[in-house]
Amino acid sequence: MLEQLLAKLCEYYWNFLIPHVQSHISHYSTSLPTYYSPGCNNRNNNKTLKQQLVAMHMQSPFLNTLQSRGFIADCTDFDHLDKLLTSQQNPVPAYIGFDCTAPSLHVGSLMQIMTLRWFQKSGHKPIILVGGGTTKVGDPSGKDESRKLLTDELIHKNKNAIKSIFGQFITFEGEFTPSSTNAFLVDNADWLNDINYIDFLRDYGRHFSVNRMLGMESVKLRLEREHHLSFLEFNYMILQAYDFTKLNEVHGCRLQIGGSDQWGNIVNGIELQRRLNASTETRGDELFGLTTPLLTTASGTKMGKTEQGAVWLNKEMLSTYDYWQFWRNTEDADVGKFLRLFTELPLEEILRLESLEGAEINQAKITLANEVTALTHSREDATAAEETARKVFEQGGVGDNLPIVEISRSLLETGIPAFALFKEAGMEPSGGAARRLITGGGAKINDEKVNNAEQAISLENITDEGHIKLSAGKKRHVLVITV
């Protein structure tokens, strides 16, 4: 009886009270989401009841999938977005922007890529925006210092390198077709590079309040910490807002998706559209924003970073074996969460896997590693990585898929200290870290423990197979060959 009463109260709260209150609050607020979103880690984590309540109002398969798998942090207007996604005859276009700051995206971008994958699988149209223009400015969000300015040549090279990553997750088309769910790739350099500065300030700059811009999280944190913030970076949020309105104008884009740190920038684009409509007395499209949680591991570290550096998605930047190992080494408490976010396994199977205990949880981790590697690289690569790991761990061999590192033959001709070889091969980020690895007993060369950091490694250490096997602990291994 009590449970039924509580359920009725919750239903009343959700159906009548919240909409009534929210009707008096602008959904452009940068401090509060329109509805509670269960994926947001910095809010109430008591998800079960709230997830059920949210599900009651979502007819869109896309939003239902995201909600049930933990993708949603904030949304500017759940109800109207839900209606949009279920009422349009043609697929609804949505975009995510990726700046070209490196020749590969890393695991930190994988949640956004998976969001676009689900968006397409739900019958809608993803737009990938590569920031050939905004990369020249640098997004200050989440950064304590200015990004390094890149040359046009390097930006172009990075842009071409990251394009191939999306093809693993999303189906593309050559030309924009409104009736198709195939994804479309655009570069904001196409419209930002030719902007007339005075015209842009007059037509768009007048719609931005400096007071409000100073209150944006990305700006406020820099100022509070007394870290340098250039006028160049200060303009980034204006350019991102302009991107949103431009994509709506040209391609009918209605939704922008991004990480939680992009909330302010996304809302700026929605507000700019509203102000432009008001200034021209036209009724333009209503735009929407949806953000995903900023992901950390159970131990509190930022997702996608390791002691050895970023976990790149491009196999030219990180070998398939190392990528597979990254997922295989997931903390026990993160297995269920990562299976929901980064695989397409049914939720029932995920519940079974995450309930495994003791040594059995390792099978769930292997499944996680296989599924994510299959999506990012290929099923064949995932199978080969698992087999290599089995051979290395169970048989003490080298397997067929261990990363290969090339070093100059001259280093071995003269002899190189063991710690320097581990650093040169990328097993440790510095000579000091390599020394600590050896001192702690975690380093092996050709499966023999290294006891002296200064031990000279030479051509004599090359095996009959033509390599030197380096091991850092039980799970990181490379084969060194000479060139």
Side-chain angles (χ1 to χ4, degrees):
M1 186 69 180
L2 180 58
E3 290 179 356
Q4 292 176 342
L5 177 60
L6 287 173
K8 287 290 184 184
L9 287 172
C10 287
E11 185 177 355
Y12 171 79
Y13 174 79
W14 196 258
N15 284 327
F16 301 101
L17 185 58
I18 287 182
H20 176 73
V21 173
Q22 288 181 330
S23 68
H24 294 84
I25 302 175
S26 169
H27 63 253
Y28 300 115
S29 167
T30 59
S31 59
L32 288 174
T34 301
Y35 290 108
Y36 171 84
S37 303
C40 192
N41 291 333
N42 62 357
R43 292 181 172 87
N44 189 340
N45 283 323
N46 183 17
K47 298 179 182 178
T48 304
L49 176 60
K50 290 186 173 66
Q51 284 179 336
Q52 293 172 352
L53 290 172
V54 172
M56 288 169 56
H57 288 265
M58 291 186 185
Q59 302 301 315
S60 161
F62 171 66
L63 291 178
N64 266 321
T65 297
L66 260 60
Q67 177 270 327
S68 64
R69 300 182 84 96
F71 279 87
I72 299 176
D74 287 311
C75 181
T76 53
D77 191 328
F78 269 127
D79 274 350
H80 285 91
L81 177 59
D82 190 37
K83 290 174 183 176
L84 172 71
L85 294 176
T86 53
S87 64
Q88 300 294 304
Q89 288 186 336
N90 283 335
V92 175
Y95 95 95
I96 298 181
F98 300 87
D99 279 346
C100 313
T101 54
S104 174
L105 300 175
H106 57 69
V107 164
S109 299
L110 193 54
M111 188 187 294
Q112 279 71 52
I113 296 174
M114 288 297 294
T115 303
L116 287 180
R117 181 176 172 87
W118 285 115
F119 192 67
Q120 186 175 60
K121 287 169 73 74
S122 301
H124 297 291
K125 189 176 195 66
I127 298 176
I128 308 293
L129 183 143
V130 289
T134 44
T135 303
K136 299 176 183 179
V137 175
D139 184 3
S141 301
K143 299 292 179 183
D144 284 335
E145 58 186 25
S146 300
R147 295 180 186 269
K148 181 181 177 181
L149 294 179
L150 305 180
T151 64
D152 287 352
E153 181 182 5
L154 189 54
I155 291 173
H156 183 73
K157 182 179 179 181
N158 290 346
K159 179 179 73 173
N160 289 332
I162 67 175
K163 280 182 181 179
S164 62
I165 295 170
F166 298 110
Q168 290 291 121
F169 296 86
I170 300 166
T171 304
F172 280 88
E173 63 187 357
E175 299 292 333
F176 186 88
T177 308
S179 60
S180 167
T181 61
N182 286 340
F184 188 66
L185 191 142
V186 295
D187 183 351
N188 61 14
D190 293 343
W191 56 81
L192 294 181
N193 281 357
D194 297 326
I195 281 179
N196 179 291
Y197 187 58
I198 297 298
D199 289 344
F200 185 77
L201 288 180
R202 182 192 61 202
D203 296 338
Y204 297 96
R206 63 192 177 96
H207 294 299
F208 290 85
S209 163
V210 172
N211 303 52
R212 183 178 179 185
M213 292 169 71
L214 289 172
M216 291 294 177
E217 199 70 20
S218 59
V219 174
K220 188 166 61 175
L221 286 177
R222 283 275 195 95
L223 298 179
E224 287 176 352
R225 297 172 183 174
E226 299 184 354
H227 291 159
H228 175 72
L229 176 70
S230 69
F231 179 70
L232 180 69
E233 294 172 284
F234 193 59
N235 280 270
Y236 188 95
M237 64 182 78
I238 299 178
L239 297 180
Q240 184 171 333
Y242 179 67
D243 282 346
F244 199 178
T245 61
K246 190 71 175 179
L247 287 174
N248 173 255
E249 173 191 337
V250 178
H251 298 301
C253 182
R254 302 291 300 276
L255 171 64
Q256 183 181 173
I257 304 169
S260 287
D261 59 339
Q262 294 299 311
W263 177 256
N265 290 344
I266 291 172
V267 170
N268 269 336
I270 296 171
E271 180 70 5
L272 176 60
Q273 173 88 339
R274 187 185 68 79
R275 289 175 179 271
L276 289 172
N277 290 341
S279 66
T280 58
E281 297 183 352
T282 59
R283 182 173 176 82
D285 291 333
E286 180 183 3
L287 303 185
F288 300 90
L290 181 72
T291 59
T292 60
L294 293 181
L295 196 59
T296 58
T297 65
S299 59
T301 60
K302 188 175 181 180
M303 182 66 178
K305 299 287 186 180
T306 69
E307 292 180 358
Q308 287 69 48
V311 181
W312 302 106
L313 301 181
N314 193 318
K315 65 171 67 177
E316 284 73 31
M317 297 281 288
L318 184 71
S319 73
T320 298
Y321 177 79
D322 283 337
Y323 186 73
W324 187 93
Q325 278 292 342
F326 168 77
W327 296 103
R328 169 63 180 82
N329 296 337
T330 295
E331 297 177 48
D332 292 2
D334 286 328
V335 171
K337 176 169 66 176
F338 290 175
L339 283 168
R340 287 181 180 84
L341 294 173
F342 303 120
T343 80
E344 294 177 325
L345 291 176
L347 293 178
E348 295 78 6
E349 175 63 7
I350 293 173
L351 285 171
R352 184 189 71 81
L353 289 169
E354 70 178 339
S355 66
L356 297 175
E357 298 179 351
E360 289 184 337
I361 194 67
N362 290 325
Q363 184 54 53
K365 294 180 182 181
I366 290 172
T367 299
L368 171 66
N370 284 339
E371 294 301 314
V372 182
T373 304
L375 278 173
T376 311
H377 294 178
S378 72
R379 180 63 65 181
E380 292 75 17
D381 285 339
T383 301
E386 181 185 4
E387 179 62 17
T388 295
R390 187 187 65 79
K391 288 181 178 179
V392 171
F393 299 150
E394 295 180 5
Q395 302 171 12
V398 298
D400 301 320
N401 201 35
L402 284 183
I404 294 176
V405 176
E406 297 178 344
I407 67 169
S408 172
R409 184 178 179 84
S410 62
L411 292 176
L412 294 179
E413 287 176 344
T414 57
I416 180 174
F419 81 90
L421 180 59
F422 274 82
K423 177 181 178 298
E424 186 74 19
M427 298 294 279
E428 293 295 342
S430 66
R435 287 179 182 276
R436 289 191 292 273
L437 174 70
I438 294 171
T439 303
K444 288 184 179 181
I445 294 180
N446 295 331
D447 295 320
E448 296 291 332
K449 185 176 179 180
V450 181
N451 296 310
N452 182 1
E454 301 292 339
Q455 176 184 336
I457 309 301
S458 66
L459 294 173
E460 294 181 0
N461 295 97
I462 297 178
T463 66
D464 293 339
E465 289 79 19
H467 59 249
I468 299 174
K469 179 184 175 185
L470 302 185
S471 302
K474 295 180 179 181
K475 298 178 180 179
R476 292 193 292 123
H477 312 270
V478 298
L479 302 180
V480 175
I481 62 173
T482 60
V483 292

